[in-house]
Each structure stands twice: as structure tokens, then as C-alpha cells.
Amino acid sequence: MKSTGMVRKVDELGRITLPKELRRMLGIENGDSAEIFIDGDQIILKKYKPNMACAVTGEVSDDNLVLLGGKLVLSLNEAKKLVTEIESK
């Protein structure tokens, strides 16, 4: 685990503010959801990505294609664009 050197206090409502630099590094935008995990005595936050969300558009659909052993999910339209781009190279 890598230390960022950033320390924040928990407020009276139990909230912690994530520094802007950290949000920018991780691609976390206003309104994004975070998933919370516990590992022993550690709390791990991860930007939430719903299952079956297209990696390009974020569109969630059961019709999306799961590729590369589950490492890449693309909508049919984005998969066609990818194939066209690869073929044009």
C-alpha cells in the first residue's frame, strides 16, 4: 500500500473529505459513487463501477460485451467502433 502523505480528520457526521488532487488522480468526479471495503483494520475506498458498464460510455446494459476474461466491458456500438479503428490501422 502506498502512502499519499495526506491526512484528514473525520467530522462530527463521520465524513472525510477526499483531497482534490487525489480525486483528480483517480478520476473521481462530483456525484460519483464510492464502494467501501474492509480489510482487517483498514477501510478501502474504490470508485464504484457497476457490473456490465461500458468502459467508454459508462452505459449499463445486459447486452454489453464482456471481453478479455471480464477485464473489458463494451457496448455493442463501442465494440464495433473499436474493430473499425483496429482494422483501419
Side-chain angles (χ1 to χ4, degrees), residues 34-48:
E35 197 166 5
I36 304 167
F37 299 90
I38 296 177
D39 184 10
D41 63 349
Q42 298 178 2
I43 299 170
I44 301 167
L45 296 176
K46 181 179 174 188
K47 182 177 177 179
Y48 177 69

Side-chain angles (χ1 to χ4, degrees), residues 33-82:
S33 295
E35 197 166 5
I36 304 167
F37 299 90
I38 296 177
D39 184 10
D41 63 349
Q42 298 178 2
I43 299 170
I44 301 167
L45 296 176
K46 181 179 174 188
K47 182 177 177 179
Y48 177 69
K49 291 185 179 179
N51 290 337
M52 298 303 291
C54 174
V56 177
T57 64
E59 173 191 346
V60 177
S61 171
D62 289 335
D63 296 331
N64 287 351
L65 303 172
V66 179
L67 307 167
L68 301 173
K71 294 180 182 177
L72 179 62
V73 177
L74 292 175
S75 68
L76 186 56
N77 190 37
E78 293 304 321
K80 287 178 183 178
K81 287 180 185 177
L82 179 62

Side-chain angles (χ1 to χ4, degrees), residues 4 6 18-29 32-34 45-49:
T4 64
M6 299 176 201
L18 299 176
K20 187 175 188 174
E21 307 83 37
L22 185 61
R23 293 191 316 263
R24 190 178 303 130
M25 273 182 5
L26 299 174
I28 298 173
E29 304 285 335
D32 284 351
S33 295
L45 296 176
K46 181 179 174 188
K47 182 177 177 179
Y48 177 69
K49 291 185 179 179

